[in-house]
């Protein structure tokens, strides 16, 4: 668990006694952690209740399913056997002969956008 | 208030949270009147049909001496960075199969790598809990490139990283410390931390992130807590929405091309498609397994084709199923084709123009797959 101090400011609590008994310090830490955990749970409850309310008026999945269906139609796709155009000629570069350097190390030049 | 009273309150609040979650689950179930395949069938669609030689392995990138864990393409189409158990990053020209850079890492246990949008630097992270940035134009020293920036702050392993698409200087990481972090790469500072001790953060390691290409303020994360969560980078205090359904670690998340949905892959052997706005689980992609299978394979990585019609899913078995996203049917298995990988597929990703898929495997190789058959353009 990340100890993220950004959201939790210091709380105004009296400092523990200078010679703390183990049980009192243990109690203090236990109460602090429990209170923080309860506060988080209460906030979670609020958000869950809000989400439940949201669901009262939310549409069913059919609308989103229709959107998925429509979004795949009409988009050209290089990996489909049947696809709407336009067909980009660079799709074929994977099956064209490529001139490769004979040297072992070969860097692309700065700013170049396409090796072929 | 005594400790005992506080404990009672804690127990009661926990019970209320659990009961609310159960009610939410049931209410959501009632709203699922159809899934994507049900709708597609009602429109008379049938599954994509591939000929045996349509998708072929057209390149094998060999050079790593250990399992491949991660890979990423450049936006400029042809270069790939890969990360391996051998403690190196390699930058490849995928078209010529040449290696252009080999970076020996100080910490060899690397889990993730990413290319910057301008293609001039790469990032990686792993069991050192930091994200390291390398400038590819740096002068090579002792056969490697020196690290140009280290992003420190995570208190757990870095499992994934991705640059924000339209911003060279911003990057998002996800970690075993249950948080995601948005970084400014130029200063090395954390801009925002998502999760951690705040409510509605992940409650276990965060294994993957995917940033929305249509709106780079939004990203999803997948976690060992079996959920995916949607975040708005401007609101770090709370996840926008939590997506339930998986029964195991969510290893991989990827936005659908329309930017309104996203896919997930999990240890429970399924992929799922969720609607970002409503939270509905729109489809489950699940294959029947033989009863005498020793192990049900886990989904390690996913990618959508450019139109979204195909969902590529890599599995621990070495299979790489090509799902018809609309019909929820497996239309091809790259794992049974010629030149398929011999071991687990750990990562996969599509080139930015959608013309090639790169898969990375524990067999130490990367393979490029492209469409080599007869294409009908309508």
């Amino acid at each position: 668990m990340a100890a993220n101090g950004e959201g939790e400011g210091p709380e105004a609590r009296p400092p523990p006694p200078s010679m703390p008994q183990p049980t009192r310090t243990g109690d203090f830490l236990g109460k602090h952690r429990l209170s923080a955990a309860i506060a988080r749970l209460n906030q979670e409850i609020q958000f869950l209740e809000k989400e439940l309310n949201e669901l009262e008026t939310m549409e069913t999945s059919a609308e989103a399913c229709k959107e998925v269906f429509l979004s795949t139609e009409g988009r050209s796709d290089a990996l489909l056997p049947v696809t709407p155009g336009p067909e980009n000629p660079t799709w074929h570069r994977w099956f064209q002969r490529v001139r490769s350097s004979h040297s072992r190390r070969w860097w692309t030049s700065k700013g170049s956008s396409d090796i072929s | 208030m005594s400790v005992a009273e506080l404990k009672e309150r804690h127990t009661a609040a926990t019970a209320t949270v659990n009961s609310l979650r159960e009610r939410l689950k049931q209410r959501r179930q009632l709203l699922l009147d159809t899934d994507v395949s049900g709708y597609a069938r009602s429109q008379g669609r049938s599954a994509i049909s591939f000929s045996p030689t349509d998708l072929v392995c057209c390149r094998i990138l060999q050079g790593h001496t250990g399992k491949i864990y991660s890979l990423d393409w450049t936006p400029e189409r042809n270069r790939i960075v890969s990360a391996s158990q051998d403690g190196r990053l390699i930058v490849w020209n995928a078209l010529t199969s040449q290696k252009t850079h080999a970076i020996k890492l100080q910490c060899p246990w690397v889990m993730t790598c990413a290319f910057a949008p301008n293609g001039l630097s790469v990032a990686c992270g792993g069991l050192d809990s930091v994200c390291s940035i390398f400038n590819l134009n740096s002068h090579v020293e002792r056969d490697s490139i020196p690290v140009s920036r280290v992003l420190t702050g995570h208190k757990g392993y870095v499992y994934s990283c991705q640059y924000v698409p339209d911003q060279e200087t911003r990057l998002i990481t996800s970690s075993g410390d249950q948080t995601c972090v948005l970084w400014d790469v130029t200063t090395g500072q954390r801009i925002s931390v998502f999760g951690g001790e705040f409510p509605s953060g992940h409650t276990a390691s965060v294994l993957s992130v995917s940033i929305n290409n249509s709106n780079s303020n939004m990203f999803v994360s997948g976690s060992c807590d079996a959920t995916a969560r949607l975040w708005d980078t401007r609101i770090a205090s709370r996840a926008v929405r939590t997506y339930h359904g998986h029964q195991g670690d969510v290893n991989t998340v990827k936005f659908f091309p329309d930017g309104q949905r996203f896919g997930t892959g999990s240890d429970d052997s399924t992929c799922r498609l969720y609607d970002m706005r409503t939270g509905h689980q729109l489809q489950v992609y699940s294959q029947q397994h033989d009863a005498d299978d020793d192990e049900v394979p886990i989904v390690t990585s996913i990618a959508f084709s450019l139109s979204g019609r195909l969902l590529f899913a890599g599995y621990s078995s070495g299979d790489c199923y090509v799902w018809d996203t609309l019909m929820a049917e497996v239309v091809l298995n790259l794992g049974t084709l010629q030149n398929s990988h011999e071991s687990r597929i750990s990562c996969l990703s599509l080139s930015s123009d959608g013309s090639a898929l790169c898969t990375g495997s524990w067999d130490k190789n990367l393979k490029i797959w492209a469409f080599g058959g007869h294409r009908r353009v309508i």
Side-chain angles (χ1 to χ4, degrees), chain B residues 316-373:
Chain B
S316 50
S317 54
D319 286 325
C320 181
Y321 289 157
V322 183
W323 290 91
D324 181 322
T325 315
L326 294 188
M327 306 302 293
E329 286 177 31
V330 176
V331 292
L332 201 59
N333 180 1
L334 301 181
T336 56
L337 295 183
Q338 209 170 11
N339 293 321
S340 60
H341 284 291
E342 292 161 11
S343 185
R344 170 187 294 222
I345 302 215
S346 54
C347 48
L348 51 80
S349 181
L350 211 70
S351 65
S352 59
D353 70 344
S355 65
L357 174 78
C358 182
T359 50
S361 168
W362 281 9
D363 71 5
K364 308 176 193 173
N365 293 328
L366 296 131
K367 300 196 181 200
I368 312 286
W369 307 82
F371 188 89

Side-chain angles (χ1 to χ4, degrees), chain A residues 1, chain B residues 178 180 195-196 200-206 221-223 225 227-229 231:
Chain A
M1 208 49 155
Chain B
Q178 305 180 8
C180 298
S200 198
H202 282 294
T203 54
S205 298
V206 190
S221 55
S223 165
D225 65 13
T227 70
R229 287 173 210 242
W231 302 88

